[in-house]
Amino acid sequence: MTASVGVSTSGRLHMGFFDLHGGLGRKFGSIGLSLTEPNLILSAKRSKSLQVSGVSNVPESVIARISKVSQQILSAMNIAESVEVNISEAVPEHSGLGSGTQMALATGSVISHLYQLNLTSMQIATLTGRGRRSGVGISAFDYGGLLVDGGRAVSASHSSPPPMLARYDFPEEWAILLIFDASEPGIHGDQEKVAFNELPTFPESLAAHLCRHVLMQAMPALVERDLIAFGQSIQVLQQHVGDYFLPVQGGRYASRLVSAVLERLEAMGVPCFGQSSWGPTGFAIFANKNQAEQHLQQLKTTFTDRALSWKICSACNHGAKFNKFDVTV
């Protein structure tokens, strides 16, 4: 019997959708990237009653969400007992880094290990309502790296999460600058649902254009480690998808502060930058850590608003890591 299980996973970038039209029977389609930071780290053991706690800097909202997911999994699998969960690190919520999916998969996975349920990440995502539009977070949990998913079937009201179409190791020497805005959360929940329901039909020709950029520019550029060509493709996605969501976000990017930083990075000639998912977190990718640090020092001189914060990290080319401690009974 497994006595306790620990899991470590991390945030991800969602760089954009490439088919918001859906005329071929599948809608959305995403490209994204698993990150080394920020992290979600938790451990769990079997218990008679549900108990979830966290270290002092873990928000109560994270504790509440993991409690809810735990109960969902236990109830769905008819588990009479429960779990005791402790959270030591958490990915910021509603920041565009996929915290909800990572919390659901991490929590579901440790329960699956403890009670020998053999649940896959796809099954956990379905049970907890994750991956309705993008499969990037699920594949990031399983495999890490640069990920491309195939969107979900539009004909089925409750289709499974989008399948992964391609997965690549991302150059770990390419440094990633994350730009956080603490003054406002990204769009989420009911706001997100309303946004997708009220926006006009996405032009089919533009969806075809974006698919071409992903297939014929971003993917081969990554294989050839061509950051400039990869960045050009991501910029096309960011521009068109950001402008499509402008009525909901209030601009191409959700955060006024992050938008100003990204405009400055563009003026500095940075090849790859944008907003992750609904934001407000922005990102920029550099050829190496030294370049990232040099640009960050310049940005800190220009942008002094206390709501802004920064983190330099890299790509994570592996999935979630588990530690299991077994006992014999």
Side-chain angles (χ1 to χ4, degrees):
M1 179 186 297
T2 300
S4 64
V5 181
V7 61
S8 173
T9 184
S10 56
R12 59 93 184 105
L13 295 179
H14 189 286
M15 295 173 161
F17 292 115
F18 46 82
D19 189 349
L20 288 164
H21 180 266
L24 294 178
R26 305 195 72 89
K27 193 172 183 180
F28 302 113
S30 310
I31 182 169
L33 176 65
S34 182
L35 304 170
T36 54
E37 299 179 75
N39 296 301
L40 169 66
I41 302 175
L42 59 82
S43 61
K45 60 184 179 180
R46 296 171 75 153
S47 173
K48 296 296 182 183
S49 61
L50 178 60
Q51 302 173 58
V52 181
S53 61
V55 297
S56 60
N57 62 342
V58 172
E60 287 296 326
S61 56
V62 169
I63 294 172
R65 291 180 74 180
I66 288 181
S67 297
K68 180 181 178 181
V69 169
S70 299
Q71 194 58 64
Q72 282 180 309
I73 299 292
L74 293 165
S75 298
M77 302 307 296
N78 297 313
I79 303 298
E81 295 184 44
S82 194
V83 289
E84 180 181 331
V85 181
N86 181 261
I87 311 152
S88 52
E89 287 188 44
V91 177
E93 294 181 280
H94 311 312
S95 61
L97 296 176
S99 63
T101 296
Q102 298 309 306
M103 281 191 278
L105 297 180
T107 304
S109 294
V110 294
I111 293 174
S112 179
H113 283 300
L114 289 171
Y115 287 98
Q116 300 177 340
L117 303 175
N118 297 317
L119 293 173
T120 66
S121 294
M122 281 289 196
Q123 290 172 323
I124 295 169
T126 300
L127 288 171
T128 56
R130 309 307 305 182
R132 289 192 175 99
R133 298 183 184 88
S134 171
V136 165
I138 301 169
S139 296
F141 184 85
D142 283 341
Y143 308 108
L146 189 283
L147 306 150
V148 180
D149 77 57
R152 67 167 176 82
V154 298
S155 59
S157 58
H158 298 288
S159 60
S160 59
M164 183 178 69
L165 302 183
R167 184 264 173 203
Y168 301 95
D169 275 353
F170 196 84
E172 293 182 13
E173 68 272 17
W174 290 3
I176 302 162
L177 171 65
L178 300 178
I179 307 135
F180 300 100
D181 177 4
S183 66
E184 53 184 311
I187 293 171
H188 62 279
D190 290 338
Q191 287 178 294
E192 186 177 0
K193 295 176 185 176
V194 170
F196 280 110
N197 290 334
E198 293 186 352
L199 287 168
T201 301
F202 196 82
E204 184 174 16
S205 60
L206 184 52
H209 179 64
L210 298 184
C211 288
R212 183 185 179 203
H213 271 280
V214 172
L215 179 63
M216 297 304 294
Q217 187 172 26
M219 293 165 69
L222 187 63
V223 172
E224 295 178 344
R225 294 179 173 247
D226 184 341
L227 177 55
I228 293 176
F230 179 78
Q232 288 171 343
S233 177
I234 298 304
Q235 293 315 116
V236 172
L237 282 178
Q238 288 280 321
Q239 291 162 12
H240 289 295
V241 175
D243 290 348
Y244 176 67
F245 289 134
L246 187 148
V248 179
Q249 296 187 145
R252 178 173 291 174
Y253 307 114
S255 160
R256 174 186 57 82
L257 292 173
V258 172
S259 180
V261 173
L262 296 179
E263 289 175 7
R264 177 61 180 157
L265 286 168
E266 182 177 21
M268 296 164 77
V270 174
C272 186
F273 60 88
Q275 171 181 289
S276 181
S277 188
W278 286 105
T281 304
F283 67 88
I285 302 178
F286 301 86
N288 53 61
K289 187 176 181 181
N290 185 51
Q291 285 189 15
E293 290 174 341
Q294 289 177 354
H295 282 79
L296 177 55
Q297 290 307 311
Q298 295 181 55
L299 292 171
K300 285 182 174 179
T301 301
T302 305
F303 299 96
T304 57
D305 194 299
R306 292 185 178 181
L308 285 173
S309 61
W310 327 80
K311 180 183 289 292
I312 295 175
C313 62
S314 58
C316 177
N317 287 318
H318 59 77
K321 291 188 173 182
F322 292 88
N323 293 312
K324 303 178 193 178
F325 302 93
D326 299 334
V327 294
T328 302
V329 296

